[in-house]
Amino acid sequence: CRGGQRQGRGAKPSGGRRGTGISANPRPRPRSDHSSLTRHPNPPPHQVLVIIAMEDEGMPIVEKLGLTRQEEGLPSLPAIVYAGDYKGLELTVVFNGTHDVYGCACVGTAAAAVTVYAAIQKYAPDLVLNAGTAGGFAKKGAAIGDAYVVTGFANHDRRIPIPAFTEFAAG
């Protein structure tokens, strides 16, 4: 979480109502000529895509939400797809999958970018979420359920000192 602020469970995001990400004082929207229409200007999402690098990170979510594996996956990718309905949302959870040569999870920004692109093309979601452990910051005091507000970015893609991942990083 380099450069980020830790937000524990129930922490109030700055500048807005708790947990909504919406400003407490939004600017008024101008009225259109169609003010009699009841269509909401920003309908809530119906189709949600969640991208997670490793199955180990995301299987508790898949199991908790009762999602089922979709055998067709994503074309030409090792991605693993689970889908289902949860409280009226069509949820699709996609894992990057396992590298066929190195036998480790396809982690890093390149794998994520390709997987996200293919999943957006196939599922046309209203909302895309990226979830995971971000390297597991337990040694830094993080716990399951903690959320972080990112204020900076450092790219160290695929340099992981774990057997198989080292070879995967070198290509």
Side-chain angles (χ1 to χ4, degrees), residues 28 32 51 55 57 61 65 96-97 105 114 117 119 121 133 137 153 161:
S32 68
I51 302 293
E55 282 185 273
E57 296 174 297
I61 294 169
L65 299 178
N96 293 342
V114 171
Y117 178 79
Q121 294 302 306
T133 61
F137 291 107
F153 174 79

Side-chain angles (χ1 to χ4, degrees), residues 15-28:
R17 293 181 293 185
R18 180 178 167 162
T20 64
I22 299 172
S23 173
N25 298 312
R27 290 185 290 172

Side-chain angles (χ1 to χ4, degrees), residues 15-72:
R17 293 181 293 185
R18 180 178 167 162
T20 64
I22 299 172
S23 173
N25 298 312
R27 290 185 290 172
R29 294 178 182 250
R31 286 192 165 263
S32 68
D33 293 339
H34 308 288
S35 60
S36 63
L37 298 176
T38 58
R39 184 172 178 214
H40 190 278
N42 295 311
H46 177 69
Q47 174 77 24
V48 178
L49 172 65
V50 181
I51 302 293
I52 305 172
M54 300 172 70
E55 282 185 273
D56 290 347
E57 296 174 297
M59 283 311 292
I61 294 169
V62 166
E63 291 165 1
K64 178 80 173 175
L65 299 178
L67 305 179
T68 57
R69 186 167 177 156
Q70 308 299 297
E71 295 304 323
E72 69 274 5

